Amino acid sequence: MAENTKIIELDPANYTLNDYDNVRITLPPKEVMTNEDIDAELFQYVISSGKQIKSIADLDDEWVKRTFEGMETIDEVRNAIVEDYERQQEFARADLKYHACCEVLIDRLEGEIPADVIQNNVNAIRKGNEEQLAMMQMSLTQYLREEHLTLDQYEAKLQKEAEYQTKLNLALDCMAVVLCTQVGNHELTEYLSTPDPAAFIAEIREKGLVEEARRAAVRVKVMRRVVDTAIVTIEGEEPEPVKPVVVEDEEPFIMPDFDEMPNPNIVNADGFDKFAFNVVSTNE
């Protein structure tokens, strides 16, 4: 019997979450760039360019005009360094918030996942990694060397990844049922990023993968809502105030059976409103 190399999707009807309310997470306070940090960045730039200076005072307006096209003063350079740092901070904190929300959802999941399903998904992830390495013309040995991993550590990483993703997908599926979340065909590429939406839609139709893509898109849609409505506490500060959720008009949907269904209590709180999600591979 041929080995199954596709991710097994479990039925969310056999699982539940112990809480469907807003996710509550705690994040560290934002780091502030000091003047000393800016000086260090400037020194690093000078050193990397092969030049030498005696002190930060040597980096004056004249140096800026000779060095940076379109800039006139050292203050402009220092401000640019701060702005770049703050952009990186926003991306890093968005990623931190996203992963914190994922951990909460996984912790809420109730129900045992069969060991053979996890093992199958380990094999599927391994197969996908092998295909990616082949496209990069890189062997597994080279990859392990670059990642500083032993083969046993790599296998443990696959196991952890399979468990994490299987549980997260199930938790999102459970949330989707309770929230009655749907994604129409015209919305698929809004949630599954692709450089060529038309070609992507044509490909999944040709391969009969529309419903598989829809399931992935629903998960992305639910995850965005979870992140956007998360109640965030900054370490050492009071929790963010809770605001009423604003529900946008959606396509008509078939009303599910609400017998014994948990009653969600989702409200909106301030948070990052943009998250980038990579396209979900649908290659067989």
Side-chain angles (χ1 to χ4, degrees):
M1 183 176 178
E3 180 185 26
N4 182 16
T5 56
K6 294 188 67 175
I7 295 290
I8 292 177
E9 303 288 3
L10 297 172
D11 187 350
N14 298 323
Y15 298 84
T16 187
L17 302 185
N18 57 32
D19 189 352
Y20 289 86
D21 291 349
N22 295 69
V23 162
R24 295 176 178 270
I25 60 174
T26 301
L27 298 179
K30 292 183 179 181
E31 296 182 6
V32 178
M33 194 172 209
T34 65
N35 286 328
E36 289 75 15
D37 295 328
I38 300 173
D39 291 345
E41 288 287 330
L42 285 169
F43 271 116
Q44 182 60 40
Y45 173 81
V46 172
I47 293 173
S48 64
S49 64
K51 298 179 180 179
Q52 294 183 348
I53 58 173
K54 295 180 180 179
S55 72
I56 198 68
D58 293 341
L59 306 181
D60 55 14
D61 293 349
E62 291 302 316
W63 173 79
V64 171
K65 293 175 185 177
R66 294 193 307 269
T67 308
F68 299 102
E69 184 177 354
M71 290 190 177
E72 298 287 333
T73 68
I74 189 64
D75 285 340
E76 288 182 79
V77 175
R78 296 177 73 88
N79 289 336
I81 291 173
V82 173
E83 289 173 3
D84 182 65
Y85 174 79
E86 289 177 347
R87 280 194 298 269
Q88 294 180 36
Q89 276 266 300
E90 287 301 314
F91 282 120
R93 290 183 68 79
D95 188 62
L96 187 63
K97 182 181 181 182
Y98 168 78
H99 285 288
C101 289
C102 289
E103 292 292 345
V104 174
L105 289 180
I106 290 172
D107 289 342
R108 291 179 174 183
L109 183 67
E110 293 187 342
E112 291 296 324
I113 298 177
D116 60 335
V117 171
I118 295 296
Q119 185 56 53
N120 173 86
N121 291 353
V122 168
N123 296 338
I125 294 173
R126 183 189 298 109
K127 177 70 173 178
N129 289 352
E130 290 171 355
E131 292 174 352
Q132 289 186 354
L133 289 174
M135 291 176 60
M136 297 166 59
Q137 298 184 333
M138 178 183 292
S139 68
L140 177 60
T141 301
Q142 289 174 304
Y143 169 78
L144 295 178
R145 187 185 305 119
E146 289 192 8
E147 295 296 317
H148 305 288
L149 294 171
T150 65
L151 186 57
D152 287 343
Q153 289 172 330
Y154 174 64
E155 289 297 325
K157 180 181 178 182
L158 292 179
Q159 180 77 19
K160 184 176 181 180
E161 182 178 347
E163 292 177 357
Y164 180 92
Q165 199 59 56
T166 302
K167 291 179 179 179
L168 178 59
N169 286 345
L170 261 178
L172 291 171
D173 290 345
C174 289
M175 287 287 292
V177 172
V178 172
L179 296 172
C180 304
T181 304
Q182 292 194 348
V183 173
N185 287 356
H186 64 287
E187 296 180 290
L188 288 175
T189 53
E190 178 182 343
Y191 297 101
L192 304 178
S193 301
T194 172
D196 191 340
F200 174 75
I201 295 297
E203 180 181 354
I204 62 175
R205 282 176 174 165
E206 180 183 348
K207 294 182 177 180
L209 297 172
V210 173
E211 292 310 311
E212 186 174 327
R214 192 189 317 283
R215 173 178 280 196
V218 166
R219 288 170 178 165
V220 172
K221 187 174 183 178
V222 172
M223 191 69 227
R224 288 184 184 179
R225 179 167 183 168
V226 168
V227 172
D228 289 344
T229 61
I231 298 173
V232 181
T233 300
I234 304 300
E235 292 176 1
E237 298 181 8
E238 294 296 321
E240 292 183 356
V242 178
K243 299 180 180 179
V245 66
V246 177
V247 181
E248 298 180 356
D249 292 336
E250 296 184 352
E251 292 184 340
F253 57 84
I254 300 174
M255 187 68 70
D257 183 3
F258 284 95
D259 291 341
E260 300 181 359
M261 182 173 285
N263 182 29
N265 179 27
I266 303 296
V267 293
N268 191 40
D270 291 338
F272 298 108
D273 57 3
K274 291 185 180 180
F275 275 79
F277 293 84
N278 294 328
V279 61
V280 176
S281 175
T282 56
N283 294 329
E284 294 181 327

